[in-house]
């Protein structure tokens, strides 16, 4: 896994145009069974890949924090939402709350999430490969293939399965 993770940025860059073209075609004409096929590929891939061996998403990218996320996590820490924001978050160029620093301050040395039960919605749904209407998030999926070995493998498997 470590070797694949080290090679992932290079692999994703090499396959960027191919993946982008495939996802664009998929968006233009999604098969009727796309959501079902994506769920199968997602489940199959996550039987092979253990996020605890990687945690690259937590080390290299930060989630968006919704107001609900902020309130829930602040409550978990027995903090006021404003105090949580001041301590951990900043506003990015898109006017979204994101982490002040990476890796994520809630990532433990063993790759476990210290706030797993109350983690942001974006973390819980990452890499978003099992969501409904998958074809609507092509840009996000393309970006996630650079960070997440599972997302990369799911797109590769999808290209083979759907032969677009």
């Amino acid at each position: 896994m470590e070797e694949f993770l080290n090679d992932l940025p290079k692999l994703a860059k090499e396959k960027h145009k191919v993946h982008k073209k495939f996802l664009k075609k998929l968006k233009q004409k999604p098969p009727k069974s796309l959501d079902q096929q994506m769920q199968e590929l997602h489940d199959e891939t996550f039987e092979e890949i253990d996020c605890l061996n990687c945690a690259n998403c937590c080390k290299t990218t930060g989630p968006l924090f919704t107001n609900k996320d902020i309130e829930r996590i602040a409550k978990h820490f027995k903090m006021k939402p404003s105090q949580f924001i001041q301590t951990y978050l900043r506003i990015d160029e898109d006017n979204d709350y994101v982490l002040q620093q990476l890796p994520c301050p809630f990532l433990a040395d063993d790759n476990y999430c210290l706030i797993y039960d109350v983690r942001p919605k974006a973390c819980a749904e990452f890499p978003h490969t099992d969501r409904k209407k998958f074809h609507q998030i092509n840009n996000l999926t393309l970006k996630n293939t650079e960070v997440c070995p599972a997302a990369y493998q799911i797109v590769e498997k999808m290209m083979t399965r759907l032969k677009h």
Side-chain angles (χ1 to χ4, degrees), residues 116-135:
Y116 188 81
D117 292 336
V118 294
R119 69 194 185 281
K121 183 177 184 231
C123 296
E125 294 177 354
F126 191 84
H128 312 284
T129 48
D130 62 344
R131 67 168 268 179
K132 300 282 185 237
K133 298 184 180 174
F134 171 81
H135 64 280

Side-chain angles (χ1 to χ4, degrees), residues 19-164:
H19 287 169
K20 186 174 182 173
K21 184 177 177 184
F22 169 74
L23 291 168
K24 184 178 179 183
K25 280 186 179 180
L26 197 63
K27 185 174 187 168
Q28 291 169 344
K29 194 174 181 198
K32 283 189 168 74
S33 62
L34 180 63
D35 287 345
Q36 178 187 343
Q37 290 188 58
M38 286 306 303
Q39 186 67 56
E40 290 169 10
L41 289 172
H42 175 90
D43 293 345
E44 175 187 308
T45 302
F46 279 99
E47 283 178 21
E48 302 164 2
I49 292 179
D50 180 359
C51 294
L52 293 174
N53 292 328
C54 179
N56 199 40
C57 52
C58 306
K59 295 171 185 172
T60 63
T61 59
L64 300 180
F65 285 74
T66 65
N67 288 333
K68 281 185 177 180
D69 293 332
I70 293 166
E71 289 171 20
R72 183 178 62 255
I73 299 166
K75 183 177 178 185
H76 172 78
F77 284 123
K78 297 177 175 50
M79 300 170 93
K80 290 185 170 146
S82 60
Q83 186 183 6
F84 177 80
I85 290 167
Q86 186 177 3
T87 306
Y88 296 104
L89 306 179
R90 67 177 176 84
I91 295 177
D92 71 2
E93 59 280 353
D94 296 324
N95 221 23
D96 293 316
Y97 282 111
V98 296
L99 291 168
Q100 288 177 12
Q101 63 186 40
L102 293 171
C104 177
F106 309 117
L107 179 66
D109 291 339
D110 60 2
N111 287 344
Y112 276 88
C113 176
L114 300 173
I115 60 167
Y116 188 81
D117 292 336
V118 294
R119 69 194 185 281
K121 183 177 184 231
C123 296
E125 294 177 354
F126 191 84
H128 312 284
T129 48
D130 62 344
R131 67 168 268 179
K132 300 282 185 237
K133 298 184 180 174
F134 171 81
H135 64 280
Q136 294 178 343
I137 59 164
N138 290 352
N139 291 340
L140 181 60
T141 301
L142 197 58
K143 188 176 174 190
N144 290 345
T145 62
E146 299 170 12
V147 174
C148 176
Y152 179 88
Q153 287 187 359
I154 289 167
V155 171
E156 285 288 300
K157 290 176 183 181
M158 190 172 32
M159 287 173 51
T160 302
R161 184 180 282 194
L162 299 178
K163 296 202 181 359
H164 248 86

